[in-house]
Structure formats: C-alpha cells, structure tokens
Amino acid sequence: MKKIKSALISVFDKSGLEDIVKELKSQGVVIYSTGGTQSFIEGLGASVVPVEELTSYPSILGGRVKTLHPKVFGGILSRRELAGDVEQLEAYEIPEIDLVIVDLYPFEKTLASGASHSDIIEKIDIGGISLIRAAAKNYKDVVIIPSMNEYATFLDILKEKQGFTTESDRKYFATRAFDVSSHYDSEIYKYFAGADAKIKVSGGKVSELRYGENPHQKGYFYGDLDELFTKHHGKELSYNNLLDVDAAVNLMQEFKDSAPTFAILKHNNACGLATRSTMLEAYRDALAGDPVSAFGGILIANGEIDEETANEINDLFCEVVIANSFSNAAMEVLKSKKNRIILTQKEVTFPVQQIRTALNGYLVQDKDAKTETTNDFTPCTKLEPTDEQIKDLIFANKLVKHTKSNTIVLAKGNQLLASGTGQTSRVDALNQAIHKAKSFGFDLNGAVMASDAFFPFPDCVEIADLAGIKAVVQPGGSIKDQLSIDYCDAHNMAMVLTGTRHFKH
C-alpha cells in the first residue's frame, strides 16, 4: 500500500476535476500545478505549489514547455526502494510526486473540427504525454490518472482507502495510461502519414458485447456508436447485430439520394429491397422479396418512417430498425416491442479502408467505393437494354456489390426479386435465385440479372434466358466472354459490361 502525499495536476479540460481536488485537499495532499489548471484549483479553495516555483523556470515558448524539467520528472520516476534514487532527490531538493493527473490536449477533436494545420499541430500534447508515460512506467510507486474517463474510479478508491492505493490499483491505471498514450500517438501518426499510413489498430472507446458470433465466444466493439446513431429503444446491439447493421448502412448509402427505399437484411445480405414513391410501398415490396428470411432481420430506410409504415413493421419480428428519422407516432408504435432496437442514423464519414485478421496478421484494403452508372455500361450485344432495363440494371448492380460472393441478383421494377448468395459456383447462385423468386410468386419475364464477376461459360445466360430474363449486367473480362455474348445475340438478350468486379467475401 502506498499513501498519496503529493500530486501533480495538469489538465486541458477541467470538467469532473472538482470533487477530486476537494478530496485531495481534505486529505492534506500537496498539489503542484501550473497555468489554467492552477487557477482552477485555487478557485476551489485549495493551495497550490506552482510548478514554476519547483523548477525555478517559468512557462516558456507560449506554454509549450511547462513541466518538462528534472525536478518534475525526477520526483515522478524516482524508485522509492533504491537508496541511490532517494539520495539524489535529497541532493537536488526534488520532492517525490505520488499522483499525476493529466487530460491531454484534444488532438482528435481539433482534427475533426476542420481546424487549420497550425492549430492541429499546437494540439499535439508534449508535456502531458510525457507525464503519463513517466508515471505509468513507475506504477510501483506512482498513481497515473491519464484522462477524465478514470476520474470516477479513482475518486472511489481515494475515498474508500483514505488516500492509499495498492499495486494492483496502480497497475490498472498504468494500463489505462498506456492505452491512452498509444491511441493518442496513433492518431497523430495517421494524420501525418495520410494515405501512406501503415495499419495502427487503436480504438478509443471499447464496448464489451454480450458475446461474440456465438455464445461461447467473447466479443468487443472498438468505436463510438453514438457518433453514428441515436439509440431510442431496445436491448444492446450484439456482435451479429453490428455486422448486419454495418451491411445495412453500407447498402443504403447506395440509395441515400433515391426515392423512398427500404431494405431488409439477414446475415449481411439483403433479402428484400425496393424503391417506391412512398416508404410504405417500399417496405411492402421489400418484405415481399423474402418474407421468410425477413423474420429476425435488420430493417433500414433511406428516409422517415411514418406511422402507417410502422404499423406494418410492427407485425414482423425484427431485431433492428434504422431510419433517417421517425415520426412521433411511428416511434411509439415501434417501441411497443421491448427488445426491438430503434436507431436514427446521423451523417457521418465512414472509414475508407477495411481491416480484417488473416493467419497471423491483418489484411487491409481500400473500401469498394465504385458504384457504376450508365456511363460505365458498355453494351456488348446487338440488342441494347431499354431505358427501363437500364434503371433495373443499375439497381441490381448496386445490390450485387453488397452481396456475398458468388452472387447473382435478379430485379425488376426497382425491386429485388431474389438473389443467390455465397455460393461456390455462379451457376448455383443463379439457380438459387431463380428458385427463390419463383417460390415467392415472382414472374421473371422481363427481369434483369446482375453478376458480381464475369461468366467463364455461357451457361448462366442460357439459364437466365430460359427463366425469362432478358437483360444482364456483368464485369466481363473472361477469355470466353464472346461465348456469352454470342448466346445473348442468338436469343434476343441485352448485355452490358462494366469492367469492374465486385467480389465480397
């Protein structure tokens, strides 16, 4: 057990510090500080020894150098059990410092605010990060509180143990300190490196999930969901919910400027999607795409959900409902199911890279940000698609980009009729899609087909033709493209090539 007799406090944000200062004062702890922190503490009626008095140096260079001095760091880093360290402190009149409280300059917030380069540079903390590392290194003797997020935990210990801490307490705070410092440095590195940044996986906020993909697996989410959503109701999002929500949000980004669009997802794939003149019609036609798979799914709209739409959604068991907004009446209807998660999506900038573990390392790639338009369509058959078919081809191609490979998507009239997902062969994916569409009563005559990759043989266009499909979009690039083109020409089918593959694994 170590007794806190002295403390150095240097914080940017003074929020939440008041109760700690009052408790330190009541316990007779000597407090060292400087600048705005010193003024704040003195304003609470506590005595402060200015750091300038300790070091015999003023704050210089516009505040860039305040605590960087041997009389500060010697008091933090001295090993109390080493006679040599103790003798040196006495020789140079350096007081021991038992507690360090720091809140760093807000580099990330300054960067996110769109501030100038010079303002961002000035928010790179030097003294604070050095204090954190020094105190954490010497955790056997010193307590480090590296951010305001630890104030409540520390205050409880301070009161409960009357100023004493155990080595376990100090190691806990040291661990938090290195978490804070490593994340802080990672964000600075990424700013300087820009597009050339090497992978630095460092999530600021960590949420422990109920479990991972299965109940016997632990799961965590690194990130701040409050930046993306306002949560109105329901249980906590699970690991699988988060994967589905990610798929839903990324899919709906393709339709953010479209007429009312509704999607239903299950296991990261859309089982229903439709664009209509009203959100109610869009929901009904999305549900019609696969009412069986919709059970327990993730629902997302690109606009407001009104009361009438909410009433119909309420008849379906679903895990999550996401929209840009909800009418007051719709919100009350949807809240009638206790566990249903209701989220309003905010405007946010998404990461431009994707990261996943592989073997004993990581795979990193640019996000698939390519969305084809009519300008990217190259007709390759004698018969070109009609204007209506082109609209459906664009619709289907947006969807195929967000469906697990191998995949085939069938659509008509801005509605998903069916898709074959995650198949080991493209023929299997097509047969699965045709079977599903017919099982739910869809007429495939006049429908279009989108493929995430090229056709190595003409078998897919032949199967599609026999099912009534008359327009196709695919990347092309096979050495046997001409075989599929020849079949289309011989059977009055239109096909366009995009030149872009959209594998998704």
Side-chain angles (χ1 to χ4, degrees):
M1 297 282 281
K2 298 279 186 177
K3 174 71 172 175
I4 296 173
K5 299 175 184 178
S6 60
L8 172 63
I9 305 177
S10 179
V11 298
F12 180 84
D13 190 336
K14 318 305 185 285
S15 304
L17 188 62
E18 181 175 347
D19 289 342
I20 291 177
V21 170
K22 289 180 177 178
E23 187 63 28
L24 292 174
K25 177 188 174 185
S26 73
Q27 294 186 16
V29 175
V30 177
I31 299 176
Y32 298 91
S33 192
T34 186
T37 307
Q38 176 185 340
S39 299
F40 175 80
I41 295 170
E42 290 173 335
L44 298 174
S47 298
V48 178
V49 178
V51 169
E52 293 85 349
E53 183 179 308
L54 172 64
T55 64
S56 299
Y57 272 88
S59 171
I60 62 173
L61 306 180
R64 280 189 165 197
V65 180
K66 290 180 283 194
T67 58
L68 295 168
H69 194 279
K71 283 205 169 184
V72 173
F73 282 85
I76 295 170
L77 286 164
S78 65
R79 291 155 291 187
R80 280 35 166 190
E81 77 280 6
L82 290 187
D85 284 12
V86 174
E87 289 171 4
Q88 286 188 330
L89 292 191
E90 292 175 355
Y92 294 107
E93 298 181 338
I94 300 173
E96 291 179 346
I97 295 175
D98 306 313
L99 167 66
V100 176
I101 301 177
V102 175
D103 185 69
L104 296 170
Y105 288 169
F107 176 81
E108 286 182 86
K109 287 184 179 178
T110 304
L111 179 61
S113 73
S116 66
H117 176 70
S118 60
D119 286 341
I120 292 169
I121 294 299
E122 286 307 310
K123 287 300 183 290
I124 297 176
D125 206 312
I126 303 301
I129 206 77
S130 301
L131 290 170
I132 286 175
R133 290 177 62 84
K137 176 177 180 176
N138 203 27
Y139 74 89
K140 286 190 175 182
D141 295 306
V142 180
V143 181
I144 172 62
I145 306 303
S147 78
M148 64 175 61
N149 294 331
E150 306 304 323
Y151 286 177
T153 302
F154 173 64
L155 185 58
D156 287 343
I157 292 173
L158 192 63
K159 289 180 177 180
E160 180 184 335
K161 299 179 182 177
Q162 287 298 297
F164 285 90
T165 61
T166 65
E167 185 171 329
S168 176
D169 294 331
R170 296 189 296 277
K171 187 174 182 181
Y172 164 79
F173 288 120
T175 302
R176 293 293 303 120
F178 286 121
D179 183 29
V180 169
S181 65
S182 62
H183 177 71
Y184 194 79
D185 285 341
S186 291
E187 294 306 302
I188 295 169
Y189 163 74
K190 284 188 267 188
Y191 172 68
F192 273 81
D196 296 325
K198 297 176 183 176
I199 179 173
K200 302 284 183 183
V201 181
S202 175
K205 187 175 179 181
V206 183
S207 302
E208 184 171 359
L209 306 175
R210 297 196 302 275
Y211 51 80
E213 202 161 6
N214 300 292
H216 63 278
Q217 297 169 266
K218 286 187 176 182
Y220 302 88
F221 176 74
Y222 289 79
D224 189 355
L225 288 174
D226 293 337
E227 293 180 354
L228 181 58
F229 301 111
T230 298
K231 183 183 175 187
H232 302 282
H233 184 72
K235 61 185 179 181
E236 293 303 312
L237 287 162
S238 69
Y239 184 97
N240 291 329
N241 286 157
L242 287 166
L243 288 175
D244 284 335
V245 167
D246 177 71
V249 168
N250 280 287
L251 171 60
M252 197 52 74
Q253 284 289 106
E254 304 283 355
F255 299 92
K256 64 179 182 179
D257 298 321
S258 300
T261 301
F262 208 104
I264 303 172
L265 287 89
K266 195 76 171 286
H267 295 295
N268 305 165
N269 294 303
C271 57
L273 178 71
T275 298
R276 293 292 182 261
S277 58
T278 69
M279 197 60 75
L280 177 61
E281 292 174 315
Y283 168 69
R284 285 173 173 169
D285 286 346
L287 180 62
D290 187 346
V292 175
S293 296
F295 181 85
I298 306 294
L299 279 57
I300 187 167
N302 71 343
E304 181 170 279
I305 292 180
D306 55 30
E307 183 180 15
E308 194 174 6
T309 306
N311 280 324
E312 296 209 10
I313 291 172
N314 212 36
D315 293 332
L316 174 71
F317 170 71
C318 56
E319 293 270 349
V320 185
V321 183
I322 308 166
N324 294 351
S325 61
F326 298 84
S327 71
N328 292 334
M331 183 67 73
E332 291 308 307
V333 169
L334 294 173
K335 283 183 176 180
S336 65
K337 302 295 173 67
K338 181 178 70 172
N339 290 328
R340 179 184 288 148
I341 301 165
I342 305 173
L343 303 173
T344 297
Q345 186 178 338
K346 303 174 184 177
E347 284 291 327
V348 68
T349 301
F350 291 97
V352 296
Q353 286 188 320
Q354 294 174 316
I355 304 170
R356 65 194 297 181
T357 58
L359 301 176
N360 61 345
Y362 298 91
L363 286 171
V364 182
Q365 68 169 354
D366 294 336
K367 194 172 182 179
D368 185 355
K370 175 71 172 176
T371 299
E372 287 77 24
T373 67
T374 51
N375 294 331
D376 301 298
F377 286 180
T378 301
C380 60
T381 50
K382 295 175 183 176
L383 182 67
E384 294 193 12
T386 65
D387 290 344
E388 287 304 308
Q389 286 175 330
I390 287 175
K391 290 178 184 178
D392 282 340
L393 290 170
I394 291 174
F395 178 90
N397 203 54
K398 287 179 178 179
L399 186 50
V400 85
K401 169 183 165 183
H402 293 273
T403 307
K404 293 296 178 85
S405 300
N406 286 311
T407 183
I408 292 289
V409 169
L410 307 180
K412 183 166 67 173
N414 282 331
Q415 180 185 19
L416 169 63
L417 304 185
S419 58
T421 61
Q423 298 301 303
T424 53
S425 109
R426 202 156 305 284
V427 170
D428 286 346
L430 175 55
N431 284 328
Q432 180 190 44
I434 291 171
H435 173 76
K436 284 189 70 173
K438 290 182 176 179
S439 70
F440 292 118
F442 287 112
D443 180 6
L444 290 177
N445 286 298
V448 305
M449 174 174 74
S451 174
D452 60 337
F454 62 62
F455 300 123
F457 304 102
D459 45 8
C460 281
V461 289
E462 180 179 357
I463 294 168
D465 173 41
L466 295 175
I469 295 161
K470 291 299 179 183
V472 181
V473 57
Q474 57 123 335
S478 168
I479 59 173
K480 296 184 178 180
D481 274 347
Q482 195 60 45
L483 295 178
S484 294
I485 294 170
D486 289 344
Y487 183 92
C488 288
D489 283 339
H491 295 84
N492 295 315
M493 296 177 71
M495 185 159 67
V496 296
L497 306 180
T498 65
T500 302
R501 189 182 72 186
H502 287 296
F503 270 169
K504 188 170 188 284
H505 293 104

